[in-house]
Amino acid sequence: MFHGSTTAGPGRRLRAAIASPGTTPLIGVHDMYSASIAAEHYDGMFVSGFGFAASYYGLPDIGFIAWPDMVGFVERLRCAFPRHHLLVDIDDGYVDPEVACHVVRRLERIGASGVVLEDQKRPRRCGHADGKQVLPLDEYLAKLDAVLANRTDLLVVARTDATEEPEILRRARALAETEADVVLVDGVRSEESIRRIRRVVGDRPLLFNQIEGGKSPRLSLSELAGLGVDVAIYSTPCLFAAHRAMAEALAGLKVSDGRLPATAAEGRRVGVRESTELLERNLTRSRALLAVSG
């Protein structure tokens, strides 16, 4: 059962998607171009902290993100993709509960669908990295309660980064007893662990984080649905694919003595025409929304 406001808005639309049969996928995006490609294939995006730290700062996901930068990025996303689900990683709420509440209010005003709030303490780490430390549970729950009190429509995912099984289950149960909409245990290491977490969170929707090279098993959406997972975030497929493709393209350019390869005529490469057409569709979506609202 979902809690919180039932007024119309992006949060309510995401709740409905998560409540539908199967596992709802949200694709991690790290910049406007990756979002433009993701929007061609999926209805929902995950604004990944890992990807944003990498693309915006060129730094690892260990706490460098400044909240105004993230809010500005989400605002640009919402303008280009007015109907897509946008679930936003706000890490630990940028440390301070007052800051976390301010960010949540700002994100809700600009049309974000939801946020993920973790229980890590600084220095924080990617959820699939070693060396994570978590806040005392009471301290995290107080921050989570403050965030929940400052949202209306916005969906809130409560995330724990606990690593030991007894503490994972203790925290997952505690998170399910709050007014948070969804529970996430990050870095879960086995299907059996997912089953145990599913049992302790009861009827609360469960989120699973898929990240290439991470600690969790690689599972299909059908397999996740069979395990009782309601929503899956794919944090980095766009970022890692871009990494590989750019490295290969530049290595090829060096080998060819700087001669560009053949482009779209062969149907295998993107050229200026294909790229421009992709970006023009962002303008079309924005104009269509303005026409309807006007």
Side-chain angles (χ1 to χ4, degrees):
M1 180 177 63
F2 285 100
H3 294 257
S5 172
T6 58
T7 57
R12 185 178 181 187
R13 292 197 299 271
L14 181 54
R15 286 182 180 86
I18 293 173
S20 64
T23 302
T24 299
L26 301 174
I27 304 302
V29 298
H30 57 277
D31 61 11
M32 293 301 297
Y33 204 91
S34 63
S36 301
I37 296 171
E40 300 283 297
H41 300 277
Y42 289 90
D43 296 329
M45 302 178 194
F46 173 58
V47 186
S48 161
F50 187 108
F52 187 70
S55 65
Y56 197 82
Y57 303 101
L59 294 171
D61 184 25
I62 56 174
F64 287 107
I65 296 173
W67 69 261
D69 294 337
M70 179 60 84
V71 170
F73 179 41
V74 176
E75 186 172 29
R76 294 193 298 275
L77 285 169
R78 182 48 82 205
C79 287
F81 311 104
R83 298 295 296 178
H84 279 72
H85 306 303
L86 297 178
L87 179 65
V88 184
D89 183 3
I90 61 168
D91 294 339
D92 57 358
Y94 309 101
V95 184
D96 186 86
E98 287 296 327
V99 174
C101 293
H102 178 72
V103 171
V104 161
R105 292 191 296 269
R106 289 280 300 269
L107 287 171
E108 183 157 18
R109 282 199 299 271
I110 63 178
S113 306
V115 297
V116 181
L117 179 71
E118 68 189 35
D119 63 357
Q120 283 198 54
K121 65 180 180 180
R122 300 283 170 131
R124 68 170 307 281
R125 297 284 184 269
C126 165
H128 288 252
D130 295 327
K132 297 188 298 180
Q133 302 177 76
V134 293
L135 294 167
L137 181 56
D138 289 348
E139 185 176 338
Y140 171 70
L141 291 176
K143 185 189 295 185
L144 176 63
D145 285 343
V147 163
L148 291 167
N150 277 270
R151 61 87 184 257
T152 53
D153 174 63
L154 195 77
L155 177 141
V156 174
V157 178
R159 162 179 157 177
T160 181
D161 281 85
T163 56
E164 300 301 322
E165 188 78 7
E167 187 63 8
I168 287 172
L169 297 179
R170 183 175 84 95
R171 289 186 178 236
R173 183 179 291 108
L175 301 189
E177 292 172 354
T178 71
E179 293 295 306
D181 300 285
V182 181
V183 172
L184 162 62
V185 176
D186 210 8
V188 61
R189 300 189 182 211
S190 69
E191 294 182 41
E192 183 53 38
S193 290
I194 297 172
R195 293 188 184 94
R196 287 194 286 268
I197 294 163
R198 174 73 274 171
R199 287 194 290 270
V200 302
V201 301
D203 64 354
R204 192 55 51 94
L206 183 63
L207 187 152
F208 181 75
N209 183 13
Q210 301 253 42
I211 183 167
E212 187 174 352
K215 297 182 181 296
S216 298
R218 294 186 305 114
L219 299 169
S220 70
L221 290 172
S222 298
E223 290 169 325
L224 289 171
L227 292 167
V229 173
D230 302 278
V231 56
I233 52 175
Y234 292 78
S235 297
T236 56
C238 293
L239 179 71
F240 293 167
H243 182 149
R244 288 190 294 268
M246 287 189 287
E248 291 170 4
L250 295 179
L253 190 65
K254 185 178 290 185
V255 167
S256 69
D257 191 29
R259 186 188 302 278
L260 288 171
T263 56
E266 297 183 355
R268 294 196 302 271
R269 294 186 178 275
V270 173
V272 64
R273 178 175 61 84
E274 292 80 9
S275 179
T276 301
E277 288 174 352
L278 173 72
L279 299 174
E280 284 176 343
R281 287 194 283 276
N282 294 344
L283 278 176
T284 301
R285 280 187 290 266
S286 296
R287 288 169 180 162
L289 181 65
L290 287 171
V292 170
S293 61

